[in-house]
Each structure stands twice: as C-alpha cells, then as structure tokens.
Amino acid sequence: MGLTDTLAARFDVEAHDSDVRTELVAGLTTFLAMSYIIVVNPFILAEAIQIPGYEFFEVVQMIAIATILSSALATLVMALYANRPFGLAPGLGLNAFFAFTVVLGLGIPWQTALAAVFVEGILFMLLTAVGAREYVIRLFPEPVKRSVGAGIGLFLLFIGFQELQIVVPDDATLVTLGGIFGNPWAILGILGLVFTFGLWARGVTGSIVIGILTTSVVGWGLTLAGFFDRGTITPETLPSAQYDISPLAGAFVDGLSGVDPLTFGLVVFTFFFVDFFDTAGTLIGVSQFGDFLDEDGDLPDMDKPLMADAVGTTAGAVLGTSTVTTYIESSTGVEEGGRTGLTALVVALLFLGSLAVIPVVAAIPEYASFIALIVVGVMMLQGLVEVDWSDPAWAVSAGLTVTVMPFAYSIADGLAAGIVAYPLIKIAVGEYDEVALGQYVIAALLVVYYVLQTRGVIL
C-alpha cells in the first residue's frame, strides 16, 4: 500500500466523496488563505508584548513562531482526532482585544493576559469533555444554523472589499466605493480577483490557489522591475529569521501571581464568551457550506473539533499567543473540495514548513491572499436558499444573523442577534411552545451580557 492509499484509508477519504489530490489542493488553499495571520498576529500582539532587552522586530518574530506552532498543533488535533477540514490559528479580533483592550487599555500585564487565555482554554477543554459546549450549540435555533454560512460569507466579502480597497471609510456614509483605479496594488488585486473568478467559473481545480499565486508573482515581478514601490516586501528584501522564543513561552505562569481576582475573572469571561460564539458560528457556517450538517442543522461529533479549538487555545497561551480559534478561511479549502482531516493535516504541515521560510510566507501580499475571501464569500451566499423566508421567526432570526455579522464586524454578535430574535418572534406569533426552554435561557443570558457590557460592568 502506497502513501496515497494509506492517507486515503486513514482519513476515510472515499467515504466522504473526495480523493487525496483534492484534499491536498484544499489544504494548500486553506493555508494560503490563512497564512496572513503569521504576519498580522505578531504585529498586533507586539504592540502590547514588550520584552526587556529585545527589539520590536525580535518580539514580532517570537510571536510569529508561537503563532505557527499553536496553529499547527491545533490543526493537527483537528486532522487526526476530529477528521474535519478546518484550519485553526490565533483569532483576529481576539488578538486585538488582548493587545489594545486588556493590556494597553486596562494596564494588565501581558503575562496576566496570557494566563487568562490559558484558563479559558482549560475551561473549554473541561466543558467539551463533558459535552456542555456541544449541548449549548445544538440549542441554537435552526434558522440561525441555516443562515450563519451566508452571514460569514458577507463578513468575508466585507473584509476582502476593505483589503482590496473596493470599499473605504467615509465620514458621511461610514463606507463608500474606493478609488481603486488610483492605487496600482488595488488594480492588481482586482485583476487577480477577476482572473480567479474566471478560473472558478470554468471549473478549474485549485482556482483560488492559482489566483493567489499568480497575483503574488505578478506583484513581485512588477516591484522588482521598478514599476511599483520598492519599499514593498518581496522575497529578496526579507530579513533573516531567528527562532528563540524562550522569553515568551511559559510567560503565562508569571501572570498567574498577584492578579486581582475580579478583573482577571472578567477578562477570562470575555475571552470565553467571544471565543465560544466565534467558534460555534464558524464551525456551523463552514459545515453548512461543506454539507456536513445533519437534518437538524447540527454537526455530528461536534465535540471533536471543539476539543481541537480548546487544545489550541491552551497551547497558544503556553507558547505566548492569544486565543486560537477555527478560521472562517477554512471555507476556501472546503470550496476546493476538502472534506476530511487530510485537508487539515496539509494545513498543519504547511504551517510547520513555514518555520523555515517565514519571510517568504510573509511576502504573500494581502491584495493576493484576500482574493480568496471575496471569491468564497460570494459562494457562501448560496446558504440563503435553505432559509424559510415565509416564516416570520425564520426571516427575522436569519436576516439579523446574516446582516449583523458584517455590520458589527463580529460572528459572535451576529449569532447573538439571531438567537435572541427567534424566541421573541415566536412569542409574538403565538408559537412560544415551539421554543425549547434552553433556547429561552440562552437568549436571556445573551441579553444580560450585552446590557452589562453596554453599561461597562463587564469588558
């Protein structure tokens, strides 16, 4: 039995209507769509993590190593334990909360913030082991489960539009159409997007990967030829890498001593809440896109991917990075046909391989990598056909889930809006007995949480 046959048997590829080649392409696609986190996460966290005796860029490299290792470990658990095609990495939004709200805003030492992430990860592992997380997620109203994929699609579209400067900030309307034809990089990104859509429309396997790599190569070539700003990073202008992260790894232990219990508890709770709903929304949304959900809108054996998330968060805190979560960019690999943990295994191995070429990975331009978000965002809108728009409870709950995500820039907030709206509309139409007691409880807790957050009682 060759390697291909071994992999196919280990991940039960044929039973999932896939093949090894497709899974490999899907893993590469997901990695390319996620690889920006190797650069973005360190620069966000390095604003808050300052280590005496080390320069800013040295700290950035330490965090980059921690980012790669935690992502690889969590995704390996996803591959080998859960057998799902989902990639994991330190979450955007959560890292900003870590750096700018907790450390820089509240003045909490970064070591203590890492300790809070560690405690959150341990709590998630315990709750997942007893099935509590899966139970809560199964209580989500069905219209929320059926619409979350489209909501994430709009969220991806909005992020991609911003990165390619298709939309830009505006004082009067908040956002407006950008002046893309005055920015050569934006023009190149738009051309790469059109090229990628064309490949996808023709059914070319690996169309997203081809689009990202082609756009990157063209951008590098134009830069090296002197047509574009030479200050832009290209493979030839990258600094050398260093791999000593000992000042960062294990620093959470120091953060466990001398903390204020109330403040520490609030930080842990906030990390816990946002990570819980972000992960739930991503798992359900990407699973809907990949047709993994059962007839009730649930993901079978959900406890396994949830455990991968919990292990990643705990390991990430130990290594020195913020909360690890399942990535919405996993949908790029699912679109390419990824259906099993073999896709995730490829992602994990590519993360590990990027240790040797951190600078080259960092050289993939944002205008190229974010092409994937726009393409997949459009594709994920097909989930809207599963919503019963004639039912008021479905229409309101699904509609808020889909729209609040991009408008609030938060998967968690979109889920919360849909979950709270569902029982309210059911009561309004006299169908209150069709709502489970647990759904009422979750909706009430979410209302209390947002009221307390608005009043500044919690973070």
Side-chain angles (χ1 to χ4, degrees):
M1 180 180 291
L3 178 60
T4 299
D5 293 333
T6 301
L7 291 173
R10 169 63 180 79
F11 293 98
D12 203 13
V13 171
E14 291 186 6
H16 289 82
D17 296 323
S18 185
D19 57 71
V20 172
R21 180 181 179 277
T22 298
E23 297 289 312
L24 296 179
V25 171
L28 176 59
T29 303
T30 297
F31 174 76
L32 288 175
M34 292 177 62
S35 62
Y36 68 87
I37 197 61
I38 298 174
V39 180
V40 175
N41 189 57
F43 277 97
I44 291 175
L45 294 184
E47 295 290 333
I49 297 178
Q50 299 178 7
I51 303 176
Y54 290 87
E55 302 269 343
F56 176 82
F57 188 75
E58 292 177 310
V59 176
V60 166
Q61 291 210 19
M62 290 182 197
I63 301 172
I65 301 300
T67 299
I68 290 171
L69 293 177
S70 60
S71 302
L73 176 60
T75 308
L76 275 174
V77 175
M78 183 68 75
L80 302 177
Y81 177 63
N83 196 25
R84 293 291 184 184
F86 307 139
L88 300 93
L92 285 175
L94 287 167
N95 53 11
F97 173 77
F98 179 105
F100 300 114
T101 300
V102 176
V103 179
L104 298 178
L106 298 176
I108 294 175
W110 60 268
Q111 296 92 336
T112 302
L114 286 176
V117 174
F118 176 80
V119 172
E120 175 216 348
I122 296 297
L123 288 174
F124 270 149
M125 291 176 68
L126 295 174
L127 291 174
T128 303
V130 300
R133 290 179 79 187
E134 182 176 3
Y135 172 76
V136 172
I137 294 172
R138 287 184 182 277
L139 286 174
F140 288 7
E142 190 171 354
V144 173
K145 296 175 184 176
R146 296 299 181 183
S147 61
V148 68
I152 292 175
L154 282 178
F155 192 20
L156 289 172
L157 275 170
F158 190 41
I159 294 172
F161 286 163
Q162 288 178 305
E163 292 301 324
L164 291 183
Q165 296 187 26
I166 296 175
V167 297
V168 296
D170 181 81
D171 292 336
T173 61
L174 299 184
V175 293
T176 189
L177 187 65
I180 55 176
F181 295 108
N183 184 329
W185 297 113
I187 294 173
L188 181 57
I190 295 295
L191 292 176
L193 177 63
V194 172
F195 175 65
T196 306
F197 267 127
L199 293 175
W200 171 74
R202 294 181 63 85
V204 176
T205 302
S207 57
I208 297 177
V209 175
I210 295 171
I212 291 173
L213 293 179
T214 301
T215 306
S216 298
V217 170
V218 172
W220 292 338
L222 291 173
T223 301
L224 296 175
F227 289 98
F228 289 161
D229 182 10
R230 295 282 295 184
T232 304
I233 292 178
T234 61
E236 71 160 10
T237 61
L238 294 165
S240 59
Q242 62 89 23
Y243 296 93
D244 179 18
I245 64 170
S246 55
L248 183 63
F252 79 98
V253 176
D254 295 332
L256 290 170
S257 60
V259 298
D260 175 62
L262 178 59
T263 302
F264 185 75
L266 291 175
V267 173
V268 171
F269 175 77
T270 305
F271 277 133
F272 182 94
F273 172 84
V274 178
D275 189 22
F276 186 101
F277 284 94
D278 266 5
T279 299
T282 302
L283 282 177
I284 295 172
V286 178
S287 296
Q288 179 196 17
F289 190 59
D291 198 25
F292 302 146
L293 302 180
D294 60 23
E295 62 275 6
D296 297 319
D298 296 319
L299 176 63
D301 297 321
M302 190 186 297
D303 60 308
K304 292 183 177 180
L306 289 173
M307 183 60 78
D309 174 88
V311 170
T313 292
T314 307
V318 172
L319 291 167
T321 187
S322 54
T323 305
V324 171
T325 187
T326 307
Y327 257 57
I328 52 179
E329 285 82 359
S330 302
S331 53
T332 60
V334 172
E335 164 58 27
E336 290 291 354
R339 293 294 182 270
T340 75
L342 181 53
T343 293
L345 177 63
V346 173
V347 175
L349 294 177
L350 288 172
F351 265 118
L352 289 175
S354 68
L355 287 170
V357 289
I358 289 178
V360 175
V361 172
I364 296 176
E366 289 188 353
Y367 59 78
S369 64
F370 281 98
I371 286 173
L373 302 192
I374 296 178
V375 175
V376 172
V378 170
M379 297 170 186
M380 292 185 74
L381 296 179
Q382 64 185 305
L384 292 175
V385 301
E386 298 184 21
V387 176
D388 182 3
W389 295 104
S390 64
D391 185 311
W394 273 68
V396 175
S397 181
L400 289 177
T401 299
V402 170
T403 55
V404 171
M405 280 188 192
F407 291 160
Y409 220 77
S410 168
I411 295 173
D413 291 345
L415 277 175
I419 291 169
V420 171
Y422 183 74
L424 293 178
I425 303 302
K426 280 292 190 182
I427 292 172
V429 298
E431 299 174 352
Y432 55 86
D433 56 336
E434 296 183 8
V435 180
L437 176 61
Q439 292 175 328
Y440 282 118
V441 172
I442 293 175
L445 291 175
L446 286 171
V447 171
V448 171
Y449 171 82
Y450 281 101
V451 168
L452 293 177
Q453 185 188 57
T454 302
R455 297 180 65 86
V457 177
I458 61 176
L459 301 175

